Amino acid sequence: MSETPTGLDRVIHEPARLRLLMVLSGVDEADFKFLLSALGMTKGNLSSHVDRLAQAGYVQVLKGFNGKVTRTCYRLTERGREAIAEYWRELDAIRSMRGK
Amino acid sequence: MSETPTGLDRVIHEPARLRLLMVLSGVDEADFKFLLSALGMTKGNLSSHVDRLAQAGYVQVLKGFNGKVTRTCYRLTERGREAIAEYWRELDAIRSMRGK
DNA sequence: ACAAACCGGTCTGCACCACAAACCATTTCA
DNA sequence: TGAAATGGTTTGTGGTGCAGACCGGTTTGT
């Protein structure tokens, strides 16, 4: 016995990341500080989640400067958008799976 | 810093359990064997997930006999139905949360 | 009578991971 | 020359999803 073809992308399924992705999908790009206050999570948390999304290729990390202060921006990749769409599709399938 | 008022019920959010709940929400009751084949998970897994749902008060466990063979049935509780409805509501809120 | 298969689980071990807090490098303020 | 703020990264740990071994009982096959 094996295989769990859930289809539900675990990277996206995590509530914190799901929220993060939804925010990103509505703006062109967002920086760390903005996301921090928009999502109300700790810095470490945000950092690691964003990292996970980057590794999955769902968000692009743009490190730069604002004057002399470091500033990191994030934006959704095309791959990310597709994955999100697919995620909602899968979820809808489950949702409408009432009884057998 | 603290608080994660996600609202998303983790007991329900887990894909395996979500699927399980959706199956149950479509039938009056289902037994172990049926769920096993309907969901394609291992016995241990199904057992523990169902257990978790029972502890949360979302499903009711009905142990009985079919002749001399044990037969365990599961059915959604009212509390379970409400929790599911609330879950979908929360999820819809997140879904429509595009950019602030 | 004995073995094998089925039913409904429990228990064990592992691998992963979300989370908060500690930490670090700069920069600004006094 | 600090002290505190800014912008993150790294670390420690508890929680848990998962498969598979095991188990008591029943039924079926030979």
Side-chain angles (χ1 to χ4, degrees):
Chain A
M1 264 173 169
S2 56
E3 271 304 285
T4 307
T6 302
L8 271 186
D9 187 337
R10 291 282 190 167
V11 172
I12 296 183
H13 193 59
E14 174 59 30
R17 286 190 295 260
L18 187 53
R19 286 266 236 10
L20 177 36
L21 288 172
M22 293 320 287
V23 169
L24 282 182
S25 77
V27 298
D28 198 57
E29 64 178 44
D31 63 14
F32 194 85
K33 191 185 172 189
F34 172 78
L35 291 174
L36 209 53
S37 68
L39 299 168
M41 38 177 129
T42 58
K43 294 187 292 179
N45 229 290
L46 176 55
S47 182
S48 60
H49 280 306
V50 130
D51 210 55
R52 197 113 198 290
L53 291 170
Q55 275 190 309
Y58 295 165
V59 310
Q60 190 182 4
V61 182
L62 304 155
K63 287 177 185 279
F65 293 88
N66 191 6
K68 286 190 173 180
V69 183
T70 62
R71 174 187 147 104
T72 314
C73 271
Y74 309 94
R75 66 168 59 203
L76 229 50
T77 63
E78 197 44 47
R79 189 145 154 34
R81 286 185 200 285
E82 283 162 19
I84 293 171
E86 173 62 16
Y87 173 78
W88 290 125
R89 238 173 289 143
E90 286 288 345
L91 205 60
D92 285 339
I94 292 177
R95 188 171 192 168
S96 60
M97 159 192 163
R98 332 213 127 235
K100 154 179 279 183
Chain B
M1 261 171 170
S2 55
E3 272 301 285
T4 308
T6 303
L8 272 186
D9 187 337
R10 292 282 192 169
V11 172
I12 296 183
H13 193 61
E14 174 60 31
R17 285 189 297 260
L18 186 56
R19 286 266 234 11
L20 178 36
L21 288 172
M22 293 319 287
V23 169
L24 282 182
S25 78
V27 297
D28 198 57
E29 63 178 45
D31 62 14
F32 195 84
K33 192 186 172 189
F34 172 78
L35 291 174
L36 210 53
S37 69
L39 298 168
M41 37 178 129
T42 58
K43 293 187 290 179
N45 229 287
L46 176 54
S47 184
S48 59
H49 280 306
V50 130
D51 211 53
R52 202 128 170 5
L53 291 170
Q55 274 189 311
Y58 296 164
V59 310
Q60 190 183 4
V61 182
L62 304 156
K63 286 173 186 282
F65 291 90
N66 192 4
K68 285 191 175 181
V69 182
T70 62
R71 175 188 147 103
T72 313
C73 270
Y74 309 93
R75 67 167 59 202
L76 229 50
T77 62
E78 197 45 47
R79 188 144 153 37
R81 284 184 201 285
E82 283 162 20
I84 292 171
E86 172 61 17
Y87 173 77
W88 290 124
R89 238 173 289 140
E90 286 288 345
L91 206 59
D92 284 340
I94 291 176
R95 189 171 191 169
S96 60
M97 158 191 163
R98 333 212 125 235
K100 157 178 274 183

